Amino acid sequence: MGDIYKTVSCQFYDELEALAVKKIKSKILYMDNENEKSVEDIIIDFKTKNKEEFLILSDGTQIRLDKILKINEINLSNNKC
């Protein structure tokens, strides 16, 4: 597999946690395979699976954290450790 998880920065993770705690509806732009996707929803939880971190939206969508490009118009694509 050529899709190795890239750990996200603590600052980025803190931003995501703040959005989840405050239940702020967020517009998230992320990569799904080779396609950019956009979703607007509330982050309700986080999980780790096979050493990869995911956020979980209220509709059940799971997004791997290192696939997020922007959240609420803030560019996060360079926010990696």
Side-chain angles (χ1 to χ4, degrees):
M1 289 192 333
D3 194 21
I4 298 169
Y5 180 75
K6 297 165 196 73
T7 304
V8 299
S9 73
C10 294
Q11 180 183 1
F12 174 36
Y13 194 87
D14 290 347
E15 289 286 332
L16 294 173
E17 279 190 323
L19 293 170
V21 168
K22 296 175 183 176
K23 297 183 181 355
I24 296 172
K25 192 171 202 176
S26 300
K27 184 175 182 181
I28 304 168
L29 179 67
Y30 66 100
M31 293 301 295
D32 183 19
N33 296 316
E34 296 297 318
N35 303 310
E36 274 189 16
K37 286 195 173 181
S38 180
V39 64
E40 193 167 343
D41 205 344
I42 297 171
I43 301 167
I44 60 165
D45 204 357
F46 299 90
K47 78 172 192 174
T48 301
K49 181 179 178 184
N50 300 324
K51 299 183 181 179
E52 299 174 348
E53 297 173 294
F54 297 82
L55 61 76
I56 302 170
L57 301 176
S58 67
D59 70 356
T61 299
Q62 296 182 22
I63 302 172
R64 202 170 90 175
L65 298 189
D66 67 336
K67 298 297 183 181
I68 298 172
L69 303 173
K70 285 186 183 180
I71 189 159
N72 295 337
E73 298 307 317
I74 300 168
N75 187 348
L76 300 170
S77 61
N78 295 324
N79 205 355
K80 311 285 189 267
C81 287

